[in-house]
Amino acid sequence: IVFADFFIMNLILWVKGSSAAIPFGTLVAILAMWFGISVPLTFVGAYFGFKEKPIEHPVRTNQIPRQIPEQSFFTKPLPGIVMGGILPFGCIFIQLFFILN
């Protein structure tokens, strides 16, 4: 799907006569490299991966269940989402504020 979107975008650039369009031969070469290198390597890796014996865990698992302690405030999902989203956004916002002023 990604390649089809890329091809359609490139087709529009060809129609408009843009210098940003990639030549058709280059597009075919990229597609050939993808199907000629990446796809076979994926199947070869899967073949050798399934031939390997499964991983054995180095320890025994205890059969007695243990108590899980109560989660603290910052380990709950909502504060993690807020910290993970607001901190980078705030940093970029402050930098852009000073750059654009």
Side-chain angles (χ1 to χ4, degrees):
I1 291 176
V2 173
F3 190 77
D5 293 341
F6 181 71
F7 184 75
I8 291 170
M9 183 181 65
N10 205 35
L11 187 66
I12 293 170
L13 289 172
W14 283 336
V15 170
K16 294 290 183 183
S18 174
S19 62
I22 297 174
F24 183 73
T26 305
L27 238 115
V28 171
I30 291 172
L31 190 65
M33 284 192 297
W34 184 19
F35 282 116
I37 296 171
S38 182
V39 173
L41 283 177
T42 301
F43 286 111
V44 168
Y47 172 74
F48 283 115
F50 281 117
K51 273 183 55 171
E52 287 289 318
K53 62 180 183 176
I55 297 172
E56 294 180 19
H57 299 290
V59 295
R60 288 185 309 115
T61 305
N62 193 359
Q63 297 297 325
I64 303 169
R66 65 180 184 92
Q67 252 185 336
I68 298 174
E70 192 67 33
Q71 284 188 337
S72 56
F73 166 73
F74 54 87
T75 58
K76 294 187 176 155
L78 189 62
I81 291 169
V82 169
M83 286 187 286
I86 287 182
L87 288 177
F89 176 77
C91 177
I92 292 170
F93 178 80
I94 290 170
Q95 288 178 6
L96 283 176
F97 178 77
F98 285 112
I99 289 171
L100 295 176
N101 273 342

